[in-house]
Amino acid sequence: MQIRISWPAGQLTATLDETSTSKALAEALPISASANTWGEEVYFDTGVSVALEGDAQQVVAPGTVAFWTEGDALALPYGPTPISRGGECRLASPCNVLGSFDGDPRLLSTVRDGDPVRVELA
């Protein structure tokens, strides 16, 4: 499944794996939210509540599409966060891994705190 995430300065598509979290997210689309930034991560509320999956991860590759169950939010890291060690992408806590961006995740650096963000099926 592919989704498109857009904001005033750009957009990216991502390919999601078939997981219970990605299916719950797809059922809720389209979603409009206000972006938050945390180091080199963008996250925003989805209004979707799911359980933490068994293969949840806290350290992920740049460009991973993750779901932060504690905040009902998509977490989109493209570089180090304030709690990273070295250049890793360390999320606030373990997150469900949904997939990854198809393009350069560094485009997320153009998202500003408070920007409107839209997520829809691509």
Side-chain angles (χ1 to χ4, degrees), residues 16-59:
L16 304 186
D17 299 326
E18 290 289 323
T19 69
S20 57
T21 302
S22 63
K23 289 175 187 169
L25 179 67
E27 289 173 10
L29 296 180
I31 294 169
S32 293
S34 181
N36 300 287
T37 58
W38 187 56
E40 293 187 6
E41 176 188 315
V42 174
Y43 69 98
F44 50 88
D45 181 61
T46 63
V48 175
S49 292
V50 296
L52 195 64
E53 295 178 7
D55 59 352
Q57 298 176 36
Q58 186 170 14
V59 177

Side-chain angles (χ1 to χ4, degrees), residues 20-108:
S20 57
T21 302
S22 63
K23 289 175 187 169
L25 179 67
E27 289 173 10
L29 296 180
I31 294 169
S32 293
S34 181
N36 300 287
T37 58
W38 187 56
E40 293 187 6
E41 176 188 315
V42 174
Y43 69 98
F44 50 88
D45 181 61
T46 63
V48 175
S49 292
V50 296
L52 195 64
E53 295 178 7
D55 59 352
Q57 298 176 36
Q58 186 170 14
V59 177
V60 298
T64 297
V65 177
F67 192 92
W68 183 40
T69 59
E70 294 175 27
D72 296 339
L74 276 180
L76 311 172
Y78 58 92
T81 66
I83 62 170
S84 290
R85 297 175 189 145
E88 70 184 10
C89 295
R90 182 176 291 268
L91 303 168
S93 58
C95 291
N96 296 342
V97 173
L98 305 185
S100 60
F101 283 106
D102 303 321
D104 183 357
R106 303 249 359 129
L107 283 173
L108 290 167

Side-chain angles (χ1 to χ4, degrees), residues 2-7 10-14 16 25 29 31 42 44 64-65 74-76 101 108 111 116-122:
Q2 282 197 312
I3 60 170
R4 178 182 305 107
I5 300 173
S6 53
W7 61 96
Q11 68 175 18
L12 280 168
T13 59
L16 304 186
L25 179 67
L29 296 180
I31 294 169
V42 174
F44 50 88
T64 297
V65 177
L74 276 180
L76 311 172
F101 283 106
L108 290 167
V111 177
V117 178
R118 182 172 169 86
V119 184
E120 58 198 338
L121 289 173

